[in-house]
Every structure is written in structure tokens, then in C-alpha cells.
Amino acid sequence: MWGTIRSSGGHVAHLHSQLTLRKVDLMDAAALKEFCAEMQPDYIFHLAAQSFVPKSWEDPWATLENNIRAQLNILEAAVRLDPMPRVLVIGSADEYGLVHPGELPIRETNPLRPSSPYAVSKVAQDLLGYQYAVSYKLPAIRVRPFNHLGPRQSDAFVASSFARQIAEAELGQREPVVRVGNLSAKRDFSDVRDIVRGYYLAITMGEPGEVYNLGSERSHSIQELLTILQSLSTVAVRIEQDPARMRPSEVPELLSDCSKFRALTGWQTQIPFERTLADVLDDWRTKVRRQHNQ
């Protein structure tokens, strides 16, 4: 199995025994075409996007350029191969954007009303996949995963951010305070290990050009997520709202309907929400302890 990286690849060090990594900049169309021609891949899983929503507000064009151009370059490289590989185009539940209460749970036919620059970039990636499937008969399969989390996730994301703050407080590296943004938003959270299993089923069993939701089909508020992490903490922590963590536009609730994908593959999430959060917190405890002992 081959994988591409643009930086040092330290964040995937645990996969070095399973992957052969090559430095390829997906923004460089010529280099990517050369790499794909050499590798002749059967499957392409494209997960290399700018995925942090607040960053897309800070520099909208950087997110749009990165996500759309990289996706386009991959599709262009794929259609020049013979045979063409199956390509997984990974969108996001954020594509649905402003969802009205009567539209829950969200099906793939729901209108797309993106409410952030990041969401717009994912809509573009999604529809590029559809266009290449229709125009070139490229076996591109599209998925719209809802929020997912797990060990090794960046602390730019909510569960990992809270877990890191708690782990540092437990070790006495910071005061016992967790700084938070909006706690009322409700999201459909899945364990990343369930989502990755869904990606494999999608690329091997999905119909070219089709799009599938991937989620737990349950929603949890950020407050509930925080409460569970607090219950797992070995120290009492207090909560403080941080205005810098608030977003210009916040969708009140996202909840998936994955019946289309379940009917095709039998897939559904299996890992309980509480276990995922415990694993995230334990992962940060290990990281913080290791850094402390260095």
C-alpha cells in the first residue's frame, strides 16, 4: 500500500510498517500524474484536505484553493490511467449547512446550504466527483461523513481540545479549567475507526457517481461530550467560555440518515460514544505524560 505526504509524516508514524510513503504535493498536477502513472493504483482514498472550519473563516481562499485544486488534480490523474482506479471523494456533513428542524434526520437528497468557506470547498469536491463520474465514467464514489473523532486527532477539534486540557490539568501543567466555545450545538459523532471501515466499504461496494452519508444516526450536544470527559477526569475542572472559540455561523444540529449506505453494505457504527471519548482522553494522557518526561 502506498500513501502520499507533503510534510514529515510524523502524524502517521504508527502506519510506517504498513504503508510506503512518498512525498507528493497534491497541488502539483504534473507530479501527481507522474506518481499515479508509476503506481497504477486500484483505489485512491483522498483525505488530504484543510479540514478545520475556523481556519476557513480566517483565510477562505487558502481553504478553497487547497481543497478544490487537490481534488481536481487527483481526478485528472485518475482519468488518465488505464484501467481507471476507483476513487473515494470524501465530502462532509457540513455540505448540508443550514438544516431546518423538519429536515432531520438528513438524507443525501437534502438541499446543500453550505454555511462556511470549508463547507463550500467540500461541496465543490463532492460535485467534482459526480461530474467526473458522469463525464468520464470514472468510478468515483462520494461520501458525506458526519463528525468523527478518536485517538491521535488534532486538538484543533473539540473533543481532542477538551481532552488535552483535562490531561494537562491532571498532570498539573495548567489550572483546572476547560475553555470552551458553543456547548449547545448538537452533532452526529462517530468513532473514526467505524468511519474508516465505512470508507473501505464505500470504495469497494459503492456505485460510481453515488453519494452516501456516514454517521452514527444519533446526535450529542457539545455539552454532553464535555460532561462525559469531565466524568472521566481525575481532577475537578471548571468551565470557562472563550469568545475566540465561537464561530461566525453555527448549525444547531446535524443528524444523519444512513439507510442508503446501510442497505447497500450493512454498515453501521459499532463503537460507543463513551468508549471513543475515553480513548481520546487516554491518548492525550499518554502524550502529555511523554512530553512531561522528556
Side-chain angles (χ1 to χ4, degrees):
M1 294 178 64
W2 289 83
T4 63
I5 54 172
R6 188 166 63 178
S7 57
S8 65
H11 59 295
V12 291
H14 60 292
L15 296 177
H16 285 185
S17 63
Q18 304 170 56
L19 288 175
T20 300
L21 297 175
R22 285 270 297 272
K23 280 195 175 184
V24 179
D25 186 349
L26 301 185
M27 303 291 279
D28 185 336
L32 183 58
K33 288 175 184 175
E34 181 179 346
F35 173 75
C36 288
E38 178 186 350
M39 293 299 103
Q40 291 292 314
D42 298 312
Y43 303 107
I44 296 177
F45 297 82
H46 174 44
L47 295 109
Q50 193 301 97
S51 58
F52 187 45
V53 175
K55 186 176 180 180
S56 78
W57 288 106
E58 295 168 9
D59 189 347
W61 176 239
T63 294
L64 291 166
E65 181 182 31
N66 181 86
N67 293 0
I68 297 171
R69 185 181 293 276
Q71 183 67 73
L72 179 61
N73 287 347
I74 287 171
L75 296 170
E76 279 287 299
V79 297
R80 284 164 172 73
L81 300 176
D82 185 17
M84 289 188 285
R86 291 174 71 87
V87 179
L88 189 65
V89 177
I90 298 177
S92 169
D94 276 14
E95 294 177 52
Y96 295 114
L98 179 60
V99 177
H100 303 307
E103 295 173 331
L104 296 174
I106 303 165
R107 300 176 66 90
E108 292 85 352
T109 52
N110 210 71
L112 304 182
R113 309 184 189 100
S115 57
S116 71
Y118 166 75
V120 171
S121 77
K122 300 309 284 186
V123 170
Q125 287 187 244
D126 186 330
L127 296 184
L128 276 170
Y130 175 78
Q131 184 246 307
Y132 272 71
V134 171
S135 300
Y136 300 101
K137 306 303 179 187
L138 176 70
I141 297 92
R142 302 173 291 142
V143 291
R144 294 175 186 154
F146 284 64
N147 295 69
H148 44 283
L149 44 92
R152 290 187 291 272
Q153 186 177 36
S154 164
D155 64 347
F157 297 90
V158 63
S160 198
S161 172
F162 294 168
R164 179 174 187 170
Q165 292 179 71
I166 289 172
E168 290 175 344
E170 289 178 338
L171 203 60
Q173 292 186 348
R174 63 184 298 144
E175 57 181 331
V177 175
V178 176
R179 291 177 172 82
V180 305
N182 177 20
L183 296 178
S184 64
K186 301 181 74 174
R187 294 292 180 264
D188 185 324
F189 289 105
S190 300
D191 191 292
V192 67
R193 292 161 286 196
D194 279 326
I195 294 294
V196 168
R197 185 167 51 85
Y199 289 164
Y200 176 76
L201 292 173
I203 203 170
T204 55
M205 300 176 65
E207 292 291 331
E210 286 294 335
V211 62
Y212 305 98
N213 285 339
L214 297 178
S216 69
E217 300 181 292
R218 294 179 294 275
S219 67
H220 302 273
S221 69
I222 307 301
Q223 176 64 70
E224 182 182 352
L225 181 155
L226 177 58
T227 298
I228 293 171
L229 286 173
Q230 283 181 280
S231 73
L232 297 170
S233 174
T234 60
V235 298
V237 294
R238 66 181 188 275
I239 309 304
E240 288 185 1
Q241 192 167 75
D242 180 358
R245 296 173 184 264
M246 304 299 285
R247 297 181 182 179
S249 177
E250 188 78 84
V251 179
E253 182 174 10
L254 292 175
L255 175 65
S256 67
D257 180 330
C258 303
S259 56
K260 179 180 177 181
F261 191 60
R262 187 166 56 252
L264 177 71
T265 67
W267 177 89
Q268 59 184 5
T269 58
Q270 298 176 349
I271 301 173
F273 186 49
E274 294 77 8
R275 177 189 156 190
T276 302
L277 292 176
D279 288 350
V280 171
L281 181 55
D282 284 343
D283 180 56
W284 273 109
R285 284 168 171 156
T286 299
K287 289 178 183 174
V288 170
R289 194 178 304 113
R290 184 186 304 122
Q291 293 166 0
H292 178 74
N293 293 333
Q294 286 179 347

